[in-house]
Amino acid sequence: MPAARPDSPTRRRAPLAASTSVSTLSTVLAAAALSFATAAHAAQVEVLHYWTSGGEAKSAQVLKQMLEKKGDTWVDFAVAGGGGGNAMTALKTRVVAGNPPAAAQIKGPAIHEWGDEGVLMPIDDVAKQDGWDRVLPPEIAAIMKYNGQYVGAPVNVHRVNWLWINADALKKVNAQPPATWDDFFRVADALKKAGITPVAIGGQPWQEAETFETVALGVGGAAFYKKAFVQLDDATLKGPTMVKALETFRRLRTYADASQTGRDWNMATAMVINGQAAMQFMGDWAKGEFTVANKVPGKDYLCVAAPGSQNAYTFNVDSFVFFKVKTPGVDKGQKDMAGLLMSPAFQQTFNLNKGSIPVRQDLDLSKFDACAKKSSADFKAAGAAGALVPSWAHDMVVSPAVEGAFYDVIGKYWSDESMTAQQAANRLAAAAKTQ
């Protein structure tokens, strides 16, 4: 949208001297115009984000360059950590101190929690002018609004329930991508026998939670997932299907390497890229790492839905919200950024780098690879079938308090073999009541 120009006071000018030449007048007017344009269009936009690895960092640079072409200045506030926990801690510190960044990478229920604090700047005028309601899926548009007004700009849709496979590793054991959990464990046994680590994972709470979430979807299906993790139904959380999901999740540990503790997700992806490991459960931001490594889908690696979850889709949407700041004129840069985030040009460039798909539903995907095209098709099919589910492990549905409590249960269950699946299920049900 056209940049909003800050009001300038009207000043009474002294008449020009009669001897002032036309050329001098032109020079004065040109300098004044340049000065005004610079003052009107330059805005420093401090951006808090956690895109710090490979394809993610490249995507952040794309946004920075586009914003600077608008005449604004990007002030980088990058906080490492793929799960975003460190970034959210830094954000809270800044907001409490009364000095929030202009923009921050926030998603899901946290958007509404910040809205309740009265610190967010509405961007509804940008959304209306650019027709966001027309091009966004309603499930995602609702997340971006507070009291009926847009306060967040979504940039993509990530599918979480992917299984990434090193194609050569699978060929070495003469296996096909596993479609069921029985298939998966048969393939994993063959890989282990061949001296290849079957599953790459990082021993961090969010990675363990995400992997469990994917297992639960594959074991129980979308209806079970919604009842357990969206509705937080007590009987479902501690019922037999949840117990089976936890038992399946526990089995995965025997196929991971012993050095997983503290490993970042992209390091686990690198294990699959270089053939040290065969498979990884991870959202499609992992594809950005394969792309940076010049690997080709269908040839070097395979992207398939995790076992049992072919007809469902767990979504994770990256988005930015904009904070009310004290510095005059920053709102111009904030609105520039909001418009760019949803622009067709940025949506295409960003998602080609990031590994995700555009959140806009009106874009041509001819430049996207086979994994992205499958993701888009599956997203639409799952939406039509009622099997589109938000990722609880990635801040999309439950409160931060419940999510943190779930993380604790899953992490302890993963590392403590003395805890039974039923005990873990009971603790999940208790965790759902966390305030």
Side-chain angles (χ1 to χ4, degrees):
M1 64 174 285
R5 301 170 77 92
D7 293 334
S8 60
T10 301
R11 291 179 182 152
R12 186 180 300 276
R13 293 192 182 96
L16 290 168
S19 60
T20 303
S21 67
V22 173
S23 60
T24 302
L25 177 60
S26 298
T27 301
V28 171
L29 291 175
L34 178 60
S35 175
F36 179 78
T38 301
H41 290 281
Q44 285 201 340
V45 184
E46 186 182 20
V47 183
L48 170 61
H49 66 94
Y50 44 96
W51 292 332
T52 56
S53 72
E56 293 184 319
K58 188 175 180 181
S59 297
Q61 286 300 309
V62 169
L63 181 57
K64 175 183 177 181
Q65 291 164 9
M66 294 180 79
L67 188 65
E68 290 179 344
K69 284 182 181 178
K70 287 269 191 182
D72 305 310
T73 301
W74 171 288
V75 180
D76 201 56
F77 185 5
V79 181
N86 294 339
M88 293 305 96
T89 299
L91 176 64
K92 288 176 184 177
T93 301
R94 288 285 300 272
V95 175
V96 169
N99 182 32
Q105 187 182 349
I106 301 175
K107 54 190 174 180
I111 294 175
H112 293 251
E113 291 190 356
W114 283 115
D116 288 340
E117 296 296 323
V119 294
L120 298 185
M121 184 186 82
I123 50 172
D124 216 43
D125 52 346
V126 180
K128 286 179 179 177
Q129 180 159 330
D130 294 348
W132 291 10
D133 279 340
R134 178 178 53 84
V135 298
L136 285 178
E139 297 93 339
I140 293 173
I143 296 170
M144 298 299 127
K145 293 179 180 179
Y146 179 76
N147 286 344
Q149 287 191 314
Y150 279 97
V151 293
V155 295
N156 60 0
V157 175
H158 279 299
R159 187 180 197 174
V160 178
N161 59 309
W162 281 117
L163 177 64
W164 304 93
I165 305 174
N166 181 294
D168 285 340
L170 213 57
K171 288 177 184 176
K172 286 179 182 177
V173 296
N174 194 30
Q176 296 297 314
T180 67
W181 285 108
D182 286 342
D183 290 342
F184 177 86
F185 290 117
R186 277 195 292 269
V187 171
D189 284 334
L191 288 163
K192 199 171 184 179
K193 189 174 181 181
I196 302 170
T197 299
V199 178
I201 189 171
Q204 295 176 334
W206 74 268
Q207 292 188 61
E208 294 161 0
E210 181 196 300
T211 301
F212 171 68
E213 169 187 272
T214 295
V215 171
L217 179 65
V219 170
F224 160 79
Y225 181 102
K226 287 180 181 179
K227 200 165 185 182
F229 300 119
V230 179
Q231 300 172 25
L232 300 179
D233 179 73
D234 185 76
T236 304
L237 282 166
K238 59 188 178 186
T241 303
M242 187 64 74
V243 170
K244 184 178 180 181
L246 285 159
E247 290 171 344
T248 304
F249 173 64
R250 167 73 59 76
R251 284 186 69 184
L252 293 180
R253 185 174 175 81
T254 63
Y255 296 99
D257 68 302
S259 302
Q260 61 183 271
T261 303
R263 178 187 293 142
D264 287 334
W265 70 268
N266 52 309
M267 294 297 100
T269 306
M271 292 173 65
V272 179
I273 291 172
N274 64 32
Q276 183 181 348
M279 298 179 284
Q280 181 188 23
F281 295 96
M282 186 56 60
D284 52 18
W285 47 93
K287 184 159 67 75
E289 302 300 302
F290 285 96
T291 301
V292 169
N294 296 315
K295 300 300 181 181
V296 179
K299 176 187 174 185
D300 301 309
Y301 68 96
L302 307 174
C303 53
V304 299
S309 70
Q310 291 85 346
N311 297 320
Y313 193 113
T314 317
F315 68 84
N316 174 28
V317 177
D318 286 316
S319 56
F320 282 85
V321 301
F322 302 89
F323 284 84
K324 296 173 183 176
V325 297
K326 297 175 183 177
T327 307
V330 174
D331 60 329
K332 180 266 175 187
Q334 291 171 307
K335 291 183 178 183
D336 281 348
M337 182 174 167
L340 285 171
L341 289 168
M342 273 289 289
S343 68
F346 177 72
Q347 289 266 322
Q348 176 168 286
T349 302
F350 174 87
N351 286 289
L352 284 170
N353 285 334
K354 187 74 158 57
S356 45
I357 59 173
V359 69
R360 294 182 65 116
Q361 298 297 288
D362 62 340
L363 298 188
D364 176 19
L365 299 183
S366 59
K367 291 186 179 180
F368 286 76
D369 62 27
C371 295
K373 290 174 182 174
K374 175 173 174 53
S375 181
S376 180
D378 287 355
F379 179 81
K380 292 173 182 175
L388 197 61
V389 298
S391 169
W392 67 260
H394 287 286
D395 316 322
M396 294 307 300
V397 60
V398 297
S399 71
V402 171
E403 180 182 311
F406 279 173
Y407 271 31
D408 288 344
V409 174
I410 297 305
K412 288 175 183 175
Y413 176 70
W414 178 258
S415 60
D416 182 2
E417 293 185 7
S418 69
M419 187 187 300
T420 68
Q422 185 64 66
Q423 287 172 332
N426 292 343
R427 292 187 185 186
L428 284 176
K433 299 178 176 63
T434 304
Q435 298 297 320

